[in-house]
Amino acid sequence: MTVSKKLTKSTPAAGVPFYTPAQDPPAGTALDTGAEVPTLFTPFKLRDLTLQNRFVVSPMCTYSADDGHLTDWHLVHLGAFALRGAALIIVEATAVTPNGRISPEDSGLWQDSQIAPLRRIVDYVHSQGQKIGIQLAHAGRKASTLAPWHAKPTQHEVATAEVGGWPDNLWAPSAIPWDEGYPVPKKMTVAQIEGLVQSFVDAAKRAVQAGVDTIEIHGAHGYLISEFLSPITNQRTDAYGGSFANRTRLLLDIARAVRGAIPAGMPLLVRISATEWMEWTGQPSWDLAQSKQLAALLADAGVDLLDVSSGGNNPRQQVRLHPYYQADMAGEIRAELARRPPGAKPLAIGAVGMVTTAEMARDIVQADGTGEGNDAEHGTRTRADLVLVARQFLREPEFVLRVAHELGVQVKGPSQYHRAPYKAPKL
């Protein structure tokens, strides 16, 4: 007796303008949902956004855009992470004004023609069942530099007008150059500051039109917003300088304005440098204590997740480097937020920096029923809700699959690669 076999056909990915099989479930999804699955491979929800695991591709500049327009380079670069299980991918720092680019080849969203190239990448990421965000930024006094592979190993070189730069049109809170030999930026007028807030709003609206799932405001690494936060680089005497309230005014104004311009269900993220690593001077600087204070204000402004990095605002910074040097600060901010009164608005935490091993990725977000971390070596509370990974994804786009393999978690891979499940390379 011959038993007929029912033939099946792949279901197309929904909501995209091309055919590709739906990834159901998306790559990176844990196939076993038992109690032994580490937090790293459990879902996480922010407003209407649900991620199937806790991996985020951190925004990484690639200096490959064409007058701010993303290209096929970005499609392949970012698409590789979506294909291999990263739940959320954040597009690199994207300038809200032309003079806010770090380099002439930076991504931008200051004009409508830049929407369609972004939309193409969004569609591909969505076709793989993954989520995508974008980091909106202004480089401030660190703008108009050459891509790093053109510069000397220890410094960024200025992009002059001859190579498409704008060294005579840098903005900053105060007219203080990045370092000796760098252009003196222009102190922004109040009208320019107010216009910048609108530029962030306009770029956010374009990002929504392109279909992104979340937006991150870049307030870290010595770019314009973090220049305003620091008393070293912000020496203004008006409403945007001096006191903590004044130095944080620009970021909070931008956060509130962007929150009001995007859908209610879309999460809003902010990246900060928890410290500028200038405590050694004995003079006022931006530090962890102020970051803790700022975190609560951002939560009240409608921000959903704080992405905790550090440094970048001063060439004389002295970083105390160890594998958890940034994750530990994220954990301190998270613990401080947990002490807020009942009913206070929540703020999730993202940790970034030197995440290269399965154990470290697991330990940063691991939690038990009481919210305590299972990190026996460090003995600290859970440091963060999401782990943001940068350079390790460049080294191995399959990082999510490798971590799952090493932790003994069965996860879904790309359907088209079913004959080649991830296996650790033989040494």
Side-chain angles (χ1 to χ4, degrees):
M1 175 178 172
T2 303
V3 178
S4 61
K5 184 178 180 180
K6 185 178 180 180
L7 300 178
T8 60
K9 182 179 180 181
S10 294
T11 301
V16 296
F18 55 89
Y19 172 77
T20 187
Q23 302 288 338
D24 186 21
T29 302
L31 299 178
D32 183 355
T33 57
E36 69 278 5
V37 174
T39 305
L40 187 62
F41 285 96
T42 61
F44 184 70
K45 184 176 176 63
L46 280 176
R47 295 191 184 241
D48 291 347
L49 175 67
T50 299
L51 308 177
Q52 81 275 20
N53 60 47
R54 307 300 182 96
F55 287 93
V56 180
V57 177
S58 195
M60 294 176 281
C61 293
T62 59
Y63 313 98
S64 300
D66 181 8
D67 190 28
H69 299 77
L70 300 181
T71 71
D72 285 359
W73 153 262
H74 301 92
L75 176 66
V76 175
H77 163 64
L78 298 172
F81 310 132
L83 181 66
R84 292 167 174 85
L88 174 62
I89 297 150
I90 304 180
V91 177
E92 63 194 68
T94 297
V96 300
T97 65
N99 76 339
R101 291 170 291 170
I102 302 167
S103 81
E105 295 81 28
D106 271 23
S107 171
L109 261 183
W110 66 80
Q111 57 186 344
D112 289 351
S113 62
Q114 293 157 340
I115 297 172
L118 173 60
R119 180 77 204 205
R120 184 168 182 234
I121 295 166
V122 168
D123 284 342
Y124 179 77
V125 171
H126 285 168
S127 78
Q128 301 306 300
Q130 316 293 11
K131 307 300 182 183
I132 184 168
I134 191 166
Q135 184 186 68
L136 301 181
H138 192 292
R141 67 177 185 164
K142 293 176 75 174
S144 191
T145 60
L146 297 174
W149 54 83
H150 295 302
K152 296 176 182 178
T154 59
Q155 70 179 70
H156 297 290
E157 291 191 354
V158 176
T160 63
E162 288 74 16
V163 293
W166 52 98
D168 59 345
N169 189 30
L170 305 185
W171 285 355
S174 303
I176 303 171
W178 162 250
D179 202 358
E180 293 182 11
Y182 283 77
V184 177
K186 296 178 179 179
K187 175 183 175 180
M188 293 179 72
T189 66
V190 171
Q192 287 172 330
I193 293 172
E194 293 172 347
L196 179 70
V197 175
Q198 186 60 49
S199 293
F200 270 89
V201 168
D202 293 343
K205 290 179 178 179
R206 293 186 182 101
V208 171
Q209 189 175 342
V212 303
D213 301 292
T214 186
I215 288 172
E216 178 171 271
I217 297 167
H218 197 351
H221 300 164
Y223 299 120
L224 186 60
I225 291 175
S226 61
E227 293 166 21
F228 270 86
L229 295 176
S230 168
I232 296 175
T233 46
N234 184 349
Q235 298 182 7
R236 301 175 73 96
T237 57
D238 61 7
Y240 293 94
S243 67
F244 172 85
N246 285 355
R247 287 182 283 111
T248 58
R249 188 182 307 277
L250 174 60
L251 174 54
L252 290 169
D253 283 353
I254 291 172
R256 294 188 190 101
V258 171
R259 176 75 270 165
I262 64 178
M266 177 179 286
L268 178 62
L269 286 53
V270 170
R271 170 170 278 192
I272 64 166
S273 287
T275 174
E276 58 181 324
W277 297 108
M278 293 295 287
E279 294 90 344
W280 65 271
T281 65
Q283 301 299 314
S285 64
W286 185 261
D287 57 19
L288 181 58
Q290 292 171 90
S291 291
K292 293 177 180 178
Q293 188 178 352
L294 174 62
L297 297 176
L298 289 170
D300 292 341
V303 174
D304 301 288
L305 181 138
L306 187 66
D307 174 2
V308 181
S309 188
S310 71
N313 194 43
N314 198 298
R316 285 164 286 281
Q317 65 184 16
Q318 293 186 7
V319 181
R320 296 189 293 275
L321 195 65
H322 60 86
Y324 287 83
Y325 80 112
Q326 292 183 150
D328 283 348
M329 288 189 289
E332 288 196 42
I333 294 172
R334 190 175 188 270
E336 182 71 20
L337 288 166
R339 290 189 279 270
R340 298 188 77 196
K345 291 185 177 180
L347 183 67
I349 296 293
V352 64
M354 300 181 72
V355 181
T356 61
T357 69
E359 294 75 17
M360 185 174 181
R362 177 199 62 203
D363 292 348
I364 286 172
V365 300
Q366 183 63 36
D368 62 21
T370 64
E372 295 289 337
N374 294 338
D375 179 1
E377 179 182 354
H378 294 273
T380 61
R381 289 179 179 270
T382 305
R383 295 172 176 85
D385 303 284
L386 296 176
V387 57
L388 290 91
V389 180
R391 296 178 188 180
Q392 195 60 28
F393 270 121
L394 301 183
R395 299 183 185 104
E396 48 174 340
E398 68 280 4
F399 183 61
V400 174
L401 304 179
R402 192 257 288 179
V403 169
H405 175 80
E406 292 186 4
L407 296 181
V409 180
Q410 294 292 321
V411 298
K412 170 74 162 50
S415 297
Q416 297 92 327
Y417 293 3
H418 74 285
R419 291 181 176 176
Y422 181 86
K423 293 182 180 180
K426 294 181 179 180
L427 300 178

